[in-house]
């Protein structure tokens, strides 16, 4: 197994002098290639801070992070931008699609500046669109498609470069339960069949139940982790809720 994410002793302190706040402390974890992992915890636990650090848009106060074996914390902005483009894919709660581009052009946008030949780009779009069930809407514009289709388009855009790591921030937050289920099944499939590595922040126990592992943080500290193993998704869902009821942050819309 290949380690894709290696987080060692991460600490994040906001502010300076007398006004400091420790948002993360002693955070250690690894994620292996092909894993689909959720990060959960109550509001204010430090989930967004952790995701922003992994996304290279915020820096830890101390600690080390390797993504695909590469340390990026001391990179200069240009090198960091290249690292972000080549190694990371993003899925946000509000899709972040460009309204003036078709679904297809949104998906291939991350490859627009690459030197990849057109046939290879076409092939990739076709394969990923088929995987996510959006072949029929490739020529449509974001305003013509549903929220679920928008998020599957965003997932295709995140996958098109075959990034080492996909970071998803509450990807089902704006979706109805049927669209959310379809998206989660797709992400699960992509991790199992394409060995995509996905790290997802969510407060939704149902969403987390599609993952192989759930990491919980509370007050900036690692709290516990649970592993799905051979249990069914329903049993795992129940386990996730049990932990949430202890640490707080359980959603009430199940
Ligand atoms: P979560 O995503 O789990 O809700 P966050 O990572 O957003 O938590 O925040 C963790 C803690 O860090 C919160 O108490 C928050 O108020 C604090 N925090 C986040 N960003 C800043 C900042 N820029 N300056 C000061 N404190 C911050």
């Amino acid at each position: 197994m290949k380690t894709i994410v290696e987080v060692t002793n991460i600490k994040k302190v906001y502010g300076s002098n007398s006004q400091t706040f420790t948002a993360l402390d002693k955070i250690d974890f690894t994620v292996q290639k092909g894993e689909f992992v959720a990060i959960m915890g109550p509001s204010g636990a430090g989930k967004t801070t952790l995701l922003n650090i992994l996304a290279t848009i915020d820096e830890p106060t101390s600690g080390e992070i390797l993504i695909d074996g590469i340390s990026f914390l001391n990179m200069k902005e240009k090198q960091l931008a290249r690292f972000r483009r080549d190694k990371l894919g993003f899925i946000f709660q509000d899709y972040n699609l460009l309204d003036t581009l078709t679904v297809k052009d949104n998906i291939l946008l991350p490859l627009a500046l690459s030197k990849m030949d057109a046939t290879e780009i076409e092939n990739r779009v076709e394969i990923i669109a088929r995987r996510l069930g959006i072949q029929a809407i490739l020529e449509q514009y974001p305003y013509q498609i549903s929220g679920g289709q928008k998020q599957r388009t965003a997932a295709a855009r995140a996958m098109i470069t075959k990034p080492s790591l996909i970071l998803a921030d509450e990807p089902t937050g704006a979706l109805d339960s049927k669209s959310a289920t379809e998206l989660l099944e797709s992400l699960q499939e992509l991790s199992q069949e394409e060995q995509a590595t996905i790290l997802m922040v969510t407060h939704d126990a149902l969403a987390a139940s599609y993952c192989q592992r759930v990491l919980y943080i509370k007050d900036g500290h690692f709290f516990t982790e649970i592993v799905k193993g051979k249990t069914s998704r329903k049993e795992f869902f129940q386990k996730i809720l049990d932990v949430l009821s202890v640490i707080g942050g359980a959603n009430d819309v199940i």
Side-chain angles (χ1 to χ4, degrees):
M1 243 199 292
K2 188 179 178 201
T3 302
I4 294 293
V5 181
E6 204 169 343
V7 169
T8 312
N9 205 12
I10 285 294
K11 181 175 186 141
K12 177 68 185 182
V13 181
Y14 285 116
S16 57
N17 304 326
S18 56
Q19 287 285 353
T20 61
F21 179 81
T22 304
L24 293 173
D25 198 15
K26 302 189 184 79
I27 299 290
D28 287 291
F29 66 93
T30 59
V31 180
Q32 307 301 316
K33 188 169 172 61
E35 269 198 302
F36 183 15
V37 176
I39 296 176
M40 300 192 87
S43 184
K47 305 180 294 293
T48 307
T49 302
L50 180 59
L51 201 73
N52 286 345
I53 290 173
L54 287 163
T56 78
I57 55 179
D58 198 357
E59 287 178 353
T61 308
S62 58
E64 178 59 291
I65 305 176
L66 301 179
I67 292 181
D68 209 2
I70 301 168
S71 169
F72 58 86
L73 293 179
N74 294 316
M75 284 183 183
K76 298 241 161 45
E77 190 44 50
K78 218 170 160 183
Q79 202 185 3
L80 200 57
R82 202 176 314 130
F83 174 82
R84 211 180 290 138
R85 189 192 66 205
D86 294 344
K87 298 286 176 187
L88 302 177
F90 297 95
I91 307 175
F92 306 97
Q93 177 171 344
D94 54 2
Y95 327 121
N96 279 13
L97 300 178
L98 294 180
D99 286 331
T100 51
L101 297 183
T102 60
V103 164
K104 183 176 174 180
D105 288 342
N106 266 287
I107 295 172
L108 55 78
L109 194 59
L111 294 178
L113 293 175
S114 76
K115 296 196 172 64
M116 193 177 289
D117 74 66
T119 326
E120 167 70 8
I121 292 181
E122 286 288 327
N123 280 344
R124 281 202 187 187
V125 172
E126 200 185 306
I127 292 167
I128 193 71
R130 201 178 323 128
R131 269 242 171 271
L132 287 154
I134 50 175
Q135 315 94 299
I137 56 160
L138 285 175
E139 300 308 327
Q140 302 204 32
Y141 288 87
Y143 65 85
Q144 298 173 306
I145 65 178
S146 71
Q149 289 170 327
K150 282 184 197 165
Q151 198 56 305
R152 278 181 280 138
T153 302
R157 181 189 54 192
M159 292 289 301
I160 195 81
T161 57
K162 301 189 177 170
S164 304
L165 176 66
I166 292 172
L167 295 167
D169 188 5
E170 297 281 9
T172 57
L175 302 182
D176 59 75
S177 67
K178 182 170 174 283
S179 305
T181 302
E182 283 168 3
L183 177 78
L184 292 159
E185 283 173 354
S186 298
L187 295 179
Q188 195 179 44
E189 232 176 76
L190 288 165
S191 83
Q192 285 168 0
E193 290 165 27
E194 308 272 338
Q195 291 283 289
T197 310
I198 308 168
L199 197 54
M200 170 174 78
V201 165
T202 184
H203 69 278
D204 180 355
L206 188 73
S209 70
Y210 285 83
C211 294
Q212 284 146 276
R213 195 151 60 95
V214 180
L215 306 174
Y216 292 88
I217 53 176
K218 183 180 185 177
D219 301 329
H221 290 88
F222 176 75
F223 182 79
T224 190
E225 82 169 347
I226 56 172
V227 178
K228 187 174 193 177
K230 290 195 173 11
T231 53
S232 69
R233 197 183 58 74
K234 276 197 172 148
E235 286 170 311
F236 194 46
F237 173 61
Q238 194 51 54
K239 271 195 192 173
I240 293 167
L241 287 180
D242 291 345
V243 178
L244 287 177
S245 69
V246 175
I247 71 166
N251 60 343
D252 43 16
V253 279
I254 306 300

